[in-house]
Amino acid sequence: MLSTRKATAVWIFLALEQVLTAQTPLSNHPPLSFYTGVESDLGQWDLGEAPAVNATGHLVFETANSLLQHWPNTRYRIGHTIVPGTIPVGTLLYHGSLTGPHLPTALDWVSVEPDHSIVFCNGSIETGCWHLTLKVTRPMKVLYFDGSSAVNIPEGTMDTQDLVAWSKMKPEWVGNEGRRIMDLCKWGQKYGVNGFVRMEMNFEVMICDFTSHMEVVSFLNLESIRFGYGSPTDLPEDLNTVHHVFEIMHSASRREMYPGETRIRLDFSGLVSFYDTALVPSLVPLRVGLERWDHRVEGTSSEDIERVQERLVQALTRPPVTTSGIDWKTVLRVVVDRYASRLEMMQYLVNMTLDDGSIFGHAQQVQRRLRTVLLPYTVFAALPPNTSVATNATNSWAAPVFRECATSHTASIVANGTILMHSERLLLQAVRETTREICRVVTKMWASGMMIGVDPLYPPEQRPEADHTRALMGEWKEDVTQLISWLDWSVWVKCRPACGFEEMCYLPTWPIGFFPTPGDEPPPEAQRDSDSLWPDPNEGEWKRPQPKCIRWLEPYGF
């Protein structure tokens, strides 16, 4: 009963406040000068100032927010980020043995999922195969390469590993995994690194020493999986093979989006990004005019490669007490959680086709949502003046709202004088640039709605003409479309409509569709042509993966 009375009281208060606010003349609000420091920095908060064409803060933001998540790193295969991390005590890792019940004495691979490692558990039907389960006994230092970094194709997926192992790209060695793991482990041994984390169908770890940091939990003699083979572009005829392939893909889907692979803990304070224009300036001119699908690490100057390696060494050797302790993964995610679904809804609303009779009410609905986003930042003085046409034209009166919104997630970090590592300053700037553009566009849209007269809390004396409202909706559509395209968050990449219960949402994933027919494997450097059975990663859905629903149950199909 008490909770009911409280809810009723809150409802009455909000309703009364709305009525009173709607009756409040705009000129009764305190002047902008009432808010200390606002007038002095208005020039920094120009609603018409879009980000620079070569800005990369939003790219740093989205790549950092996508680390260890299968979906975004399948969508953009070419990685641009290297991050140190640890695999915690008690974590189980899996290895399909090729040689029998023997712990690997050489460098080798483990998976975080048994569905993945069993693919490599080879043996005859008569003898079965051996599958090893290991437990981490003390924190294992690892280095993570983002993107589809275990995909052995010469289109850039191996670039960041090449730079660490060999200080240059070696596309002719794209399939030389033995040499790659040997040289990576030789480099990492100096800094206590015992594993390198990569992703293909699922996440794997290149282990440098199986006798360190791990102990055997079990070594089981399992029934061998019976794989059937066929054309790389067609599903095998053997239904058991197809079923297992689809189950591997489904096991990866559990790590598709946030929080991603939680059994590997990344140190964001040691993150190294090739989108860091101060660290890797040589890539800036190479990205001009390119879509993100076409961004490569190839072309990094030797001076920049040396700086990247130095930064990695610093991150791997510094004492842990030197970091700020800020949970950057959560800082990034809070921004996405706050804006992603709201921007998606706005995009949906402004793309609806409306007649003159309904367009005003629809514009009010959008305006309410814009107001909701900005509500925590709408300072009382920030309301449009009744005079000054020039001021109204630029909507500079809304600058305090823009500023409060744009700085809400970062101001406290700066104000406390927190000592940040270089990687943390990069992440801070990424959050700043990203939230600034979100808040600029949303504030601009809200201010335009106020001036046109579609804000329900401040109704004009005369309803705006339908043509004016339609023009406003057109501006809003352009604004939100450009913003969502610029942010390019993978959280918006989904199957529409949603898949049915017997389906799963799928992005073209290596090596599904990349397998060669046994005995007919072309060398990695071979040119693909119209007669090749291999799909070209530079074309179609392999270049720009798009989500689609595929069956999770028989009959299977892509």
Side-chain angles (χ1 to χ4, degrees):
M1 180 66 71
L2 181 60
S3 61
T4 303
R5 287 202 300 268
K6 282 185 177 181
T8 303
V10 169
W11 184 89
I12 293 173
F13 170 77
L14 291 175
L16 181 60
E17 181 184 42
Q18 179 171 334
V19 172
L20 292 175
T21 304
Q23 297 175 346
T24 303
L26 299 183
S27 58
N28 284 0
H29 289 276
L32 197 58
S33 57
F34 177 82
Y35 294 89
T36 306
V38 171
E39 288 186 318
S40 62
D41 71 347
L42 283 181
Q44 301 179 37
W45 306 103
D46 182 358
L47 292 174
E49 185 180 344
V53 174
N54 292 329
T56 59
H58 62 302
L59 298 173
V60 173
F61 181 99
E62 174 58 4
T63 51
N65 179 59
S66 301
L67 297 175
L68 288 174
Q69 296 169 42
H70 193 270
W71 190 261
N73 287 287
T74 298
R75 183 173 174 237
Y76 288 117
R77 295 192 186 96
I78 302 173
H80 280 68
T81 313
I82 308 173
V83 197
T86 57
I87 301 178
V89 173
T91 302
L92 297 179
L93 301 171
Y94 306 92
H95 175 75
S97 178
L98 301 177
T99 59
H102 311 294
L103 191 70
T105 55
L107 316 173
D108 216 323
W109 286 257
V110 297
S111 178
V112 296
E113 292 285 353
D115 308 83
H116 187 195
S117 59
I118 283 177
V119 174
F120 305 96
C121 183
N122 293 337
S124 67
I125 297 175
E126 293 76 20
T127 62
C129 69
W130 292 93
H131 189 252
L132 170 64
T133 300
L134 298 155
K135 181 181 74 174
V136 176
T137 56
R138 55 193 177 100
M140 183 190 300
K141 185 185 288 189
V142 295
L143 198 63
Y144 166 59
F145 300 100
D146 78 333
S148 295
S149 48
V151 171
N152 298 106
I153 57 176
E155 279 74 26
T157 53
M158 319 300 290
D159 286 355
T160 54
Q161 296 166 73
D162 288 4
L163 293 186
V164 173
W166 305 314
S167 300
K168 62 180 179 180
M169 286 78 171
K170 290 196 173 185
E172 68 276 13
W173 285 5
V174 66
N176 195 342
E177 287 285 76
R179 183 64 182 268
R180 180 172 286 106
I181 189 174
M182 181 175 67
D183 289 343
L184 281 173
C185 287
K186 182 179 178 181
W187 178 88
Q189 184 179 21
K190 297 176 287 186
Y191 314 112
V193 176
N194 194 43
F196 296 87
V197 180
R198 311 189 306 177
M199 190 197 84
E200 50 166 9
M201 292 180 294
N202 213 313
F203 291 95
E204 66 179 30
V205 188
M206 306 164 84
I207 296 295
C208 298
D209 185 355
F210 275 77
T211 64
S212 175
H213 298 83
M214 298 181 296
E215 66 181 17
V216 175
V217 174
S218 65
F219 219 148
L220 301 180
N221 186 205
L222 303 179
E223 178 187 15
S224 294
I225 297 178
R226 304 170 192 182
F227 282 117
Y229 296 93
S231 166
T233 55
D234 298 325
L235 288 173
E237 294 182 1
D238 174 40
L239 193 57
N240 293 322
T241 299
V242 179
H243 170 75
H244 195 75
V245 168
F246 273 68
E247 285 303 311
I248 294 172
M249 291 191 296
H250 183 256
S251 71
S253 71
R254 296 192 289 268
R255 311 288 174 232
E256 277 185 350
M257 303 300 281
Y258 183 88
E261 179 47 69
T262 56
R263 288 165 287 190
I264 299 161
R265 298 176 182 174
L266 300 180
D267 177 10
F268 280 68
S269 67
L271 176 148
V272 173
S273 173
F274 284 83
Y275 285 123
D276 182 348
T277 56
L279 181 67
V280 193
S282 59
L283 289 181
V284 174
L286 301 182
R287 288 192 292 259
V288 174
L290 296 181
E291 294 183 284
R292 188 178 163 192
W293 315 96
D294 299 312
H295 291 181
R296 289 284 301 267
V297 174
E298 183 182 34
T300 305
S301 70
S302 57
E303 294 81 7
D304 291 355
I305 293 173
E306 187 175 342
R307 271 198 300 271
V308 166
Q309 291 178 329
E310 289 175 355
R311 186 67 51 77
L312 282 173
V313 170
Q314 292 170 9
L316 291 168
T317 57
R318 68 162 187 265
V321 294
T322 58
T323 64
S324 68
I326 294 173
D327 182 357
W328 289 103
K329 182 177 181 178
T330 299
V331 170
L332 297 164
R333 189 62 196 181
V334 164
V335 174
V336 174
D337 285 345
R338 174 157 184 78
Y339 295 111
S341 60
R342 286 168 167 164
L343 291 175
E344 189 175 26
M345 177 58 76
M346 287 179 201
Q347 186 183 42
Y348 168 76
L349 291 173
V350 299
N351 277 280
M352 295 180 70
T353 302
L354 305 162
D355 57 33
D356 289 352
S358 60
I359 195 167
F360 178 76
H362 193 79
Q364 284 192 316
Q365 185 178 11
V366 177
Q367 183 74 4
R368 285 191 190 96
R369 293 186 175 276
L370 293 167
R371 175 177 286 280
T372 299
V373 173
L374 296 174
L375 189 60
Y377 322 116
T378 309
V379 295
F380 199 49
L383 289 168
N386 293 324
T387 59
S388 179
V389 176
T391 302
N392 292 350
T394 60
N395 288 333
S396 60
W397 55 268
V401 180
F402 177 18
R403 185 186 74 163
E404 293 303 319
C405 175
T407 60
S408 59
H409 295 278
T410 58
S412 60
I413 298 174
V414 178
N416 291 339
T418 308
I419 298 176
L420 302 176
M421 307 300 294
H422 176 89
S423 301
E424 295 180 294
R425 292 196 297 273
L426 177 69
L427 291 169
L428 174 63
Q429 186 61 26
V431 177
R432 277 173 149 174
E433 290 184 24
T434 301
T435 53
R436 179 186 177 93
E437 180 59 5
I438 293 171
C439 294
R440 183 188 74 84
V441 173
V442 173
T443 305
K444 176 174 173 281
M445 293 171 67
W446 167 75
S448 298
M450 289 281 285
M451 297 307 298
I452 289 292
V454 299
D455 195 298
L457 298 189
Y458 296 93
E461 294 181 2
Q462 185 176 357
R463 178 181 289 192
E465 296 179 5
D467 288 346
H468 293 168
T469 306
R470 192 172 298 281
L472 174 68
M473 291 289 290
E475 292 174 7
W476 281 351
K477 179 179 179 179
E478 183 178 353
D479 287 338
V480 74
T481 300
Q482 289 179 353
L483 175 61
I484 286 178
S485 176
W486 183 81
L487 292 170
D488 196 23
W489 290 347
S490 288
V491 69
W492 292 317
V493 180
K494 60 185 78 173
C495 290
R496 304 173 192 270
C499 301
F501 188 73
E502 295 186 1
E503 299 175 316
M504 60 179 170
C505 194
Y506 164 80
L507 279 178
T509 304
W510 192 96
I512 310 301
F514 281 83
F515 281 122
T517 302
D520 195 27
E521 300 89 343
E525 64 274 12
Q527 293 294 320
R528 297 179 177 87
D529 55 37
S530 59
D531 297 325
S532 174
L533 291 175
W534 282 58
D536 187 348
N538 293 307
E539 298 292 338
E541 66 177 3
W542 298 104
K543 175 71 171 181
R544 292 170 172 77
Q546 300 299 321
K548 58 183 176 182
C549 294
I550 61 173
R551 287 190 56 78
W552 185 20
L553 298 179
E554 304 163 18
Y556 298 106
F558 289 104

